[in-house]
Amino acid sequence: MRPVAITGLGKTPFGVFPDRDLRSLAAEAGRKCLENGHVPPSAVEAFYLGNFAGPSFTGQNHLAPYVGEALGLEGVPCTRFEAACASSGSAFFHAWSAVAAGVYDLVLVAGVEKMTSQPTPRVAEILASAGEVSGEMKAGATFPALFAMIARRHMHDFGTRREDLAAVAVKNHANGAKNPYAHMRKVITLEQALAGKSVAEPLTLYDCSLVSDGAAAVLLAPLERASEFTDKPVRIAGIAQTSDRVALDGKEDITTFPAVKRAGEKAYRMAGLGPREIQFAELHDCFTIAEIIALEDLGFTERGEGGRYTSAGCTLPTGARPVNASGGLKAKGHPVGATGVAQILDVALQIRGEAGAIELPRHEIGLAQNLGGSGATAVVTILMGPE
Amino acid sequence: MRPVAITGLGKTPFGVFPDRDLRSLAAEAGRKCLENGHVPPSAVEAFYLGNFAGPSFTGQNHLAPYVGEALGLEGVPCTRFEAACASSGSAFFHAWSAVAAGVYDLVLVAGVEKMTSQPTPRVAEILASAGEVSGEMKAGATFPALFAMIARRHMHDFGTRREDLAAVAVKNHANGAKNPYAHMRKVITLEQALAGKSVAEPLTLYDCSLVSDGAAAVLLAPLERASEFTDKPVRIAGIAQTSDRVALDGKEDITTFPAVKRAGEKAYRMAGLGPREIQFAELHDCFTIAEIIALEDLGFTERGEGGRYTSAGCTLPTGARPVNASGGLKAKGHPVGATGVAQILDVALQIRGEAGAIELPRHEIGLAQNLGGSGATAVVTILMGPE
């Protein structure tokens, strides 16, 4: 396997865009990415598109050639990857693997979701299809309910407090407020977060990520060719995709995601790094408790300490290990199929020194963690400069 | 790229199975395949699942880990591929590419669709999502209508007759009648086919493929390791996935599918073979006209001659180049996401000499062609013995 670099970046803002359809969002991110990576569409050898539920949200399926056509791609394999909220993380993993193994030299990876054209109950139903529909979802255990149970168990087992959950929200809102691409640019106080409308005890509105439209894209090339396309290549130092059970009720312990643990261990091993070397991360905060557990599963802090670690300020932009400087799914937004690539893109922007108002003090080695469902798919990616 | 072999096969019958859900069908095919390939689930390094519209047909998304769990796969990447009717052809292409490039040694590829639990109008609407929904589908141009236009143009330009279309149906019905795994085992006459109920002029019910439930799976390994798993390895001699425009109205000529032509040319080049060396094929007869055009696009006969070639008996099991000995999508059935892998499996069965009642006289080199939508995705695979 040869080293692979990210050589181009493109994204749309995340938000509610009544006038934009799925294709135009994906094509905008893709076009910006090709421009940023200095390649014409004809140079792209394969197109990897992550999308969770375009057919359900928009009625249109067969999305990869549909978007590829709008980008001017010419006859190359255009493939859609679906892995719930880890759809574009999974597309990125497969694209990396193809370039690393020498199948292609130049591939485009994009993620997209257009969610806001559906009424909220339908959005909830579509999101629920990422969990076990015939069992837990039928019983009313939608994602907020599942993550509420996870949060409650974490509080019970480890003494995590509602204030710790709220601290995640306060931080990510503050970060998002500085990110011009974020869906929600609104600073909140701990008091506001705690007083939020209850969604599923103990989670309030401020513990839940956003329903957003948006797209993100990156170009991949072998590291040895990266200088043809960019003077700021970002190296994929480690990466892994793993899986686990779909339903929560089959799990021995709901306060940890084995798929994330395994993906992290694999990615660290490939990179020859440990959690201590990771300077910053974009973690999958679909709910505040998910960020806390990710901190633990990835070894940034001890088991059960994620809440205290957060409340101590360790994950603030000024802390020891900043997390979700972009605002995360909480404030940047969570167009499901776009999230995996968007996280990777935001880590890459930091490494390139192009993060602008959200640039972190130390930004040489970063990690992105993308979660599907309540942990059935995980993708962990470690990025750094070209050495 | 190293040579890759198919080392295990498993499938369910195709048909209407009110008591079976998507997961049990996919798991049955997968389990049979692992047994046939003599490997435990723990040996599988990655799982590639082709599925077109499980979320729309069944309400369940995030299908790859969901099926992987039922198969006892342990934490490995489980990924769903969607490319309309070429979904599992595309999953197979990516799995081949990963094994060929040395990413994995042993991968499982499956395709599945559960269609018959929805009422017919909803099935039609879901199928339409593989075409351009905002344009042609909104205008009423569902797939039968699109392929009717294609047929009519082929008749106009090349003198193809309704009898030629019907000859495809008669042959595939006769073949399917001999295949115990086929959905429709019913011999029909040319008169019956011509007198069929009109669906979209000039296509009758007998020109259209079936709405089916079913699944198919294959195991892939490097050719050099194939003998560990089977004494009948089937070599992937050539393969390609290509793409084209989604909407028909953007095409210069609707009587040919450029994606199929390009995929065929690439696969032939990789195999070092031409159409003349292909002894038999499974072609994507979603409509009878599609089989006729595939004969031309793949170079089995001259442009415009596909209808006459068929009526002359060349594609019968006893003809010069048998096509769809399995019964094809027409009679074997067309559980959309299963079709690509099922075609490959049926070619492999012939090469292994295990096709039973549908075994062909010459069965050393075969081709499978899988089409997505009205030609926006194509996958062509050439299989042969290990030499």
Side-chain angles (χ1 to χ4, degrees):
Chain A
M1 306 290 269
R2 57 187 178 170
V4 177
I6 296 174
T7 61
L9 309 174
K11 62 178 172 178
T12 68
F14 285 2
V16 179
F17 305 119
D19 302 334
R20 303 290 301 276
D21 66 9
L22 182 149
R23 178 148 78 161
S24 85
L25 290 166
E28 178 186 330
R31 263 193 303 269
K32 285 178 174 171
C33 182
L34 294 175
E35 251 171 61
N36 183 264
H38 303 99
V39 289
S42 60
V44 173
E45 293 167 64
F47 178 45
Y48 292 70
L49 179 66
N51 173 263
F52 163 51
S56 303
F57 281 120
T58 73
Q60 179 67 56
N61 210 335
H62 208 181
L63 287 165
Y66 192 61
V67 172
E69 182 184 332
L71 283 169
L73 303 186
E74 292 171 5
V76 300
C78 294
T79 310
R80 172 175 165 232
F81 293 73
E82 183 276 312
C85 307
S87 292
S88 63
S90 176
F92 183 88
F93 169 78
H94 286 85
W96 160 79
S97 140
V99 176
V103 181
Y104 307 113
D105 265 15
L106 195 68
V107 306
L108 180 66
V109 192
V112 65
E113 208 80 54
K114 168 73 191 175
M115 305 172 75
T116 66
S117 41
Q118 294 290 338
T120 306
R122 178 68 185 136
V123 171
E125 186 187 21
I126 294 169
L127 290 173
S129 72
E132 194 205 32
V133 173
S134 63
E136 54 192 18
M137 293 301 161
K138 214 168 171 178
T142 59
F143 280 101
L146 290 176
F147 277 87
M149 287 193 271
I150 293 170
R152 195 178 283 285
R153 186 79 215 181
H154 201 276
M155 294 164 91
H156 175 271
D157 287 358
F158 304 113
T160 301
R161 303 162 309 143
R162 279 208 51 212
E163 286 77 4
D164 300 325
L165 303 177
V168 174
V170 171
K171 165 181 70 69
N172 291 353
H173 270 273
N175 291 349
K178 285 188 267 172
N179 180 358
Y181 284 83
H183 181 164
M184 187 165 285
R185 305 189 59 188
K186 178 181 146 189
V187 175
I188 58 165
T189 63
L190 195 67
E191 291 64 41
Q192 280 177 300
L194 289 169
K197 222 166 110 177
S198 177
V199 172
E201 264 289 330
L203 305 180
T204 78
L205 209 53
Y206 291 110
D207 292 294
C208 307
S209 56
L210 307 173
V211 172
S212 317
D213 306 329
V218 297
L219 271 166
L220 297 184
L223 183 61
E224 61 190 15
R225 287 195 56 195
S227 63
E228 296 173 34
F229 310 111
T230 177
D231 52 2
K232 290 176 180 174
V234 173
R235 191 158 64 89
I236 301 164
I239 184 167
Q241 178 182 332
T242 57
S243 65
D244 193 19
R245 302 179 62 88
V246 169
L248 216 56
D249 68 2
K251 291 181 176 167
E252 266 185 44
D253 181 346
I254 64 170
T255 62
T256 175
F257 295 118
V260 175
K261 260 183 104 80
R262 270 194 295 258
E265 284 159 10
K266 279 183 158 186
Y268 287 137
R269 204 176 317 129
M270 184 183 302
L273 298 171
R276 223 166 303 177
E277 278 94 6
I278 304 299
Q279 298 170 343
F280 68 100
E282 290 286 322
L283 303 184
H284 197 95
D285 58 327
C286 49
F287 297 92
T288 48
I289 185 65
E291 179 173 315
I292 287 173
I293 290 175
L295 290 169
E296 302 170 12
D297 284 338
L298 293 167
F300 294 150
T301 183
E302 292 301 306
R303 184 78 198 284
E305 293 299 318
R308 282 177 283 275
Y309 189 79
T310 302
S311 283
C314 300
T315 56
L316 289 170
T318 51
R321 184 177 291 106
V323 168
N324 287 330
S326 71
L329 285 56
K330 172 72 276 243
K332 180 176 71 177
H334 184 27
V336 172
T339 284
V341 167
Q343 293 175 311
I344 287 165
L345 185 151
D346 279 320
V347 171
L349 272 180
Q350 294 281 354
I351 291 170
R352 284 164 53 141
E354 296 174 355
I358 57 171
E359 185 160 296
L360 295 166
R362 293 164 68 225
H363 51 79
E364 288 80 35
I365 306 176
L367 177 149
Q369 173 248 355
N370 193 197
L371 188 75
S374 47
T377 300
V379 182
V380 171
T381 309
I382 299 171
L383 301 177
M384 56 198 296
E387 292 182 297
Chain B
M1 307 287 269
R2 57 186 179 171
V4 177
I6 297 173
T7 61
L9 309 174
K11 61 177 172 179
T12 68
F14 285 1
V16 178
F17 305 118
D19 301 334
R20 302 290 303 277
D21 66 8
L22 183 149
R23 177 148 77 160
S24 84
L25 289 166
E28 177 186 332
R31 264 193 303 268
K32 286 178 174 172
C33 182
L34 293 175
E35 251 171 61
N36 183 266
H38 303 98
V39 289
S42 60
V44 173
E45 294 169 63
F47 178 44
Y48 293 71
L49 179 66
N51 172 264
F52 164 51
S56 303
F57 282 120
T58 74
Q60 179 68 55
N61 211 336
H62 209 181
L63 288 165
Y66 192 61
V67 172
E69 181 184 334
L71 284 168
L73 303 185
E74 292 170 6
V76 300
C78 294
T79 311
R80 173 175 165 233
F81 293 73
E82 184 276 312
C85 307
S87 292
S88 62
S90 176
F92 182 89
F93 169 78
H94 286 86
W96 160 79
S97 140
V99 176
V103 181
Y104 307 114
D105 264 16
L106 195 67
V107 304
L108 180 66
V109 192
V112 65
E113 207 80 52
K114 167 72 191 174
M115 305 172 75
T116 67
S117 42
Q118 294 291 336
T120 306
R122 178 67 184 136
V123 171
E125 186 187 22
I126 294 169
L127 291 173
S129 72
E132 193 206 32
V133 173
S134 63
E136 53 192 18
M137 293 301 161
K138 214 168 172 180
T142 59
F143 280 100
L146 290 176
F147 278 87
M149 288 193 271
I150 292 169
R152 196 178 282 285
R153 187 79 214 181
H154 202 275
M155 294 164 92
H156 175 272
D157 287 358
F158 304 115
T160 301
R161 303 162 309 144
R162 279 205 51 210
E163 286 77 5
D164 301 324
L165 302 178
V168 173
V170 170
K171 165 181 69 69
N172 291 353
H173 270 273
N175 291 349
K178 285 189 268 172
N179 180 359
Y181 284 83
H183 181 167
M184 187 165 287
R185 305 188 60 189
K186 178 181 147 191
V187 175
I188 58 165
T189 64
L190 195 66
E191 291 65 40
Q192 279 176 301
L194 289 169
K197 220 164 111 178
S198 176
V199 172
E201 265 287 333
L203 305 181
T204 79
L205 208 52
Y206 290 111
D207 292 295
C208 307
S209 56
L210 306 173
V211 172
S212 316
D213 305 330
V218 297
L219 271 166
L220 297 184
L223 183 61
E224 60 189 18
R225 288 194 55 195
S227 63
E228 298 173 33
F229 311 110
T230 177
D231 51 3
K232 290 176 180 173
V234 173
R235 190 159 64 89
I236 301 164
I239 184 167
Q241 177 181 333
T242 56
S243 65
D244 193 18
R245 301 179 63 86
V246 169
L248 217 56
D249 68 2
K251 290 180 180 170
E252 266 185 43
D253 182 345
I254 62 169
T255 63
T256 176
F257 295 119
V260 175
K261 261 183 103 77
R262 271 194 294 258
E265 284 159 11
K266 280 184 158 184
Y268 287 137
R269 204 176 316 129
M270 185 185 299
L273 298 172
R276 226 167 297 178
E277 278 95 5
I278 305 300
Q279 297 170 343
F280 68 99
E282 290 285 321
L283 303 184
H284 196 95
D285 59 327
C286 48
F287 297 92
T288 49
I289 185 63
E291 179 171 318
I292 287 173
I293 290 176
L295 290 169
E296 301 171 10
D297 285 338
L298 293 167
F300 295 149
T301 182
E302 292 301 308
R303 183 80 197 284
E305 293 299 318
R308 282 177 284 276
Y309 188 80
T310 303
S311 282
C314 300
T315 55
L316 290 169
T318 52
R321 183 177 291 108
V323 167
N324 288 331
S326 71
L329 285 57
K330 173 70 278 241
K332 180 176 72 179
H334 184 27
V336 171
T339 285
V341 166
Q343 294 176 311
I344 287 165
L345 184 151
D346 279 320
V347 170
L349 272 180
Q350 293 281 353
I351 291 170
R352 285 164 53 142
E354 298 174 353
I358 57 171
E359 185 159 295
L360 295 166
R362 295 164 67 223
H363 52 78
E364 288 81 36
I365 306 176
L367 177 150
Q369 173 248 354
N370 192 198
L371 189 75
S374 48
T377 300
V379 182
V380 171
T381 308
I382 299 171
L383 301 177
M384 56 197 298
E387 293 181 302

